[in-house]
């Protein structure tokens, strides 16, 4: 046993215990808006939100080259711009932490609009 009577398992990190908010799987088209290093111009890139919580999201996008570590996320169909700080890059996937947690109401709107979009596609 490790010191203090705890086992080695007490030192194993798990996303289940480390995450502050519940994460939801979604598939929402979005775009990011960033300012270039010289603060002279902005640029946008298309992406998809694949999971989201009040504190962050997982994004999938092509061409991560030149992408700065901070940007705004706008989910298509919603007017909110969410400030993001990049946490990791892995292939085409980017994990971001929101500068400020989003409200329960906005999170609910994102999740429910994802279900409505899926239902509409299924009917057609």
């Amino acid at each position: 046993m490790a010191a203090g009577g705890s086992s080695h398992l007490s030192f194993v990190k798990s996303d289940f215990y480390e995450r502050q908010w519940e994460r939801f799987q979604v598939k929402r088209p979005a775009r990011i808006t960033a300012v270039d290093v010289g603060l002279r111009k902005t640029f946008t890139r298309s992406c998809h939100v694949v999971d989201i919580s009040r504190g962050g999201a997982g994004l999938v996008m092509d061409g991560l080259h030149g992408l700065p570590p901070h940007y705004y996320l706008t989910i298509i169909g919603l007017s909110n711009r969410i400030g993001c700080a990049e946490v990791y890059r892995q292939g085409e996937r980017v994990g971001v932490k929101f500068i400020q947690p989003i409200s329960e109401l906005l999170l609910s709107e994102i999740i429910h609009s994802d279900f409505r979009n899926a239902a509409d596609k299924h009917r057609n």
Side-chain angles (χ1 to χ4, degrees):
M1 284 220 157
S6 59
S7 75
H8 71 284
L9 294 177
S10 64
F11 299 103
V12 175
K13 289 192 174 199
S14 167
D15 279 347
F16 181 79
Y17 296 107
E18 299 293 322
R19 291 194 177 181
Q20 188 171 353
W21 293 289
E22 183 177 4
R23 190 161 290 272
F24 298 91
Q25 302 298 312
V26 295
K27 188 169 183 167
R28 293 298 315 263
R31 71 177 168 270
I32 59 163
T33 304
V35 179
D36 76 348
V37 177
L39 302 175
R40 289 180 292 245
K41 61 183 175 180
T42 60
F43 64 90
T44 61
R45 290 193 185 167
S46 297
C47 64
H48 277 85
V49 179
V50 294
D51 62 63
I52 192 163
S53 73
R54 288 197 58 214
L59 312 175
V60 173
M61 69 181 86
D62 293 329
L64 299 177
H65 181 72
L67 185 66
H70 296 89
Y71 35 83
Y72 290 101
L73 173 68
T74 304
I75 298 171
I76 304 301
L78 302 175
S79 60
N80 304 71
R81 283 189 339 164
I82 305 166
C84 300
E86 193 173 288
V87 177
Y88 71 85
R89 291 183 186 192
Q90 190 173 35
E92 294 180 332
R93 187 171 170 115
V94 177
V96 297
K97 178 179 180 181
F98 299 147
I99 303 300
Q100 292 187 328
I102 62 173
S103 69
E104 287 283 345
L105 182 62
L106 178 57
L107 179 61
S108 179
E109 194 174 341
I110 293 165
I111 294 165
H112 287 100
S113 64
D114 185 59
F115 286 129
R116 283 193 302 274
N117 288 345
D120 289 344
K121 287 180 183 177
H122 184 63
R123 273 188 245 144
N124 292 331

